[in-house]
Amino acid sequence: MKTSVIIIAVVCFLVLVTGSQTFYVVDQTETAIVLQLGKPVAGPILPGLHAKIPFIQNVVFFDARLLEYDAKAAEVLTLDKKNLVVDNYARWRITDPLLFYRTLRTVGRANARLDDIIYAELRVALGQYTLLDVVSEKRAIIMGEIMKKSSGLLAPYGLEVVDVRIKRTDLPPENAQAIYGRMRAERERQAKLYRSEGWEEMEKVKSGADKDRSILLAEAERQAEVLRGQGDAEAASVWAEAVNKSPDFFGFTRSLEAYQKSFARNSRLFLTPDSPFLKFMR
C-alpha cells in the first residue's frame, strides 16, 4: 500500500513537472520566442496558451509595449557654431523578437545601441540647423528626421523607433552669458529702431495736422473777411439810403457827434456866436 502511494505521488509529481515544462502562457503585453538548447527556433509567439518540448526547449519573453529610453544630456554643435546641451528621450519597441535576441538579447544592450545611434543622428541633424531653428517650430521637423533615420539604422536589430523628443535645450554655462548679452544688445538695437521709426511717424502726423490746421484757419479767416466786407457794404448801403431820404437829419446827427467829441472834459473852444458849428445850439 505504501509503495503504491509513493508511486502515485511520484507519478503526480512527474506529471506536474512535465506539465509546467510543457505548457506556458504569453501575456497580452508580451511576445516570446522558443529556444532549443540555447538556439532560437520559433517566434514571435502570440499571446495565449502554448506548448513546448519539456527540458529541451525554453521560452524567453519580451515586452511588446512601447519602451522608453532616456538619454543623458550631451553637447552638440549647431550650424551657426553654437554649443547646446541637449537632453533627449525616445520611445521604441521590439518588432522582431528573434532578430532582437540574435543581435542584442537584452533591453540593456538595446538601450546602449539606441544611445549610440540616436545621439549620432542628433548631432548630425542639429549640425544642419541654427540655434534659432532648434528652439523654434522647426524642432518638430528635426525630431522627425532623427526618428526616421534612427529607426532605419535600428531595423537590423529588430527594433523600431516611434518617437524622439528633446526634453530640454540649454546653453553651456560658459556660453550662456555671452549669448544672453548679444541677444540683449540685438533687442535694444531693434527697440531703438522701432522708437526712431515711431518718432518719425509722429512728426509726420504732427506736421500733417499743423498743415491742416493752417489751411482751416486761413480758409476761416478768408470767409470772415468776405462776410465782414459784405456786412460793411450792406451797412454803407443802408446808411447811404438813410442819408438820401433825410439829408437834414443826417447833418443834425453828425453835428451831435461832433459836439460830443468836441465838448469833452478839459476841452476849450474859441468860437464866434455866428459860427456854423453852433447853428444847432442857437
Side-chain angles (χ1 to χ4, degrees), residues 27 30 41 82 98 101 128 131 173 211 218 250 254 257:
D27 191 75
E30 296 175 328
V41 293
K82 299 293 190 304
L98 277 176
Y101 184 80
Q128 300 174 357
L131 173 62
K211 178 181 178 182
F250 173 72
R254 295 289 290 177
E257 291 176 1

Side-chain angles (χ1 to χ4, degrees), residues 16 88 97 106 140 148 165 185 206 216-217 220 262 277:
L16 289 174
N88 68 288
T106 65
K148 184 177 179 180
R165 286 286 182 269
K206 186 178 179 181
L216 289 174
L217 290 176
S262 300
F277 184 69

Side-chain angles (χ1 to χ4, degrees), residues 20-163:
S20 64
Q21 290 294 320
T22 302
F23 299 100
Y24 63 95
V25 177
V26 180
D27 191 75
Q28 291 289 337
T29 62
E30 296 175 328
T31 58
I33 61 172
V34 177
L35 303 180
Q36 183 170 315
L37 300 177
K39 295 182 180 180
V41 293
I45 307 300
L46 299 177
L49 179 63
H50 304 274
K52 64 182 178 64
I53 301 174
F55 307 110
I56 296 177
Q57 295 180 338
N58 64 301
V59 182
V60 178
F61 298 92
F62 300 100
D63 199 332
R65 297 170 295 183
L66 288 178
L67 303 176
E68 187 169 302
Y69 149 75
D70 194 356
K72 294 182 180 179
E75 286 193 13
V76 297
L77 187 66
T78 62
L79 182 63
D80 51 352
K81 308 304 179 183
K82 299 293 190 304
N83 285 324
L84 289 179
V85 179
V86 178
D87 187 4
N88 68 288
Y89 72 94
R91 290 189 176 93
W92 62 281
R93 62 186 171 196
I94 300 172
T95 56
D96 190 337
L98 277 176
L99 185 58
F100 175 77
Y101 184 80
R102 290 191 182 103
T103 54
L104 297 174
R105 289 182 180 263
T106 65
V107 173
R109 290 182 179 178
N111 282 331
R113 195 62 183 150
L114 282 165
D115 189 37
D116 293 339
I117 291 177
I118 293 179
Y119 178 60
E121 292 301 320
L122 190 69
R123 291 182 61 185
V124 172
L126 295 185
Q128 300 174 357
Y129 293 90
T130 64
L131 173 62
L132 292 178
D133 293 335
V134 175
V135 299
S136 66
E137 66 276 3
K138 289 187 178 180
R139 177 182 291 190
I141 300 175
I142 300 172
M143 293 299 99
E145 294 176 359
I146 296 173
M147 181 192 70
K148 184 177 179 180
K149 293 181 179 179
S150 299
S151 187
L153 292 173
L154 288 166
Y157 301 96
L159 304 180
E160 179 188 11
V161 179
V162 298
D163 192 19

Side-chain angles (χ1 to χ4, degrees), residues 186-203:
E186 178 63 19
R187 294 298 179 270
E188 289 179 351
R189 185 189 68 80
Q190 291 183 356
K192 290 179 180 179
L193 177 62
Y194 294 153
R195 193 177 295 112
S196 62
E197 291 176 352
W199 281 107
E200 181 181 358
E201 189 66 23
M202 183 194 72
E203 291 297 330

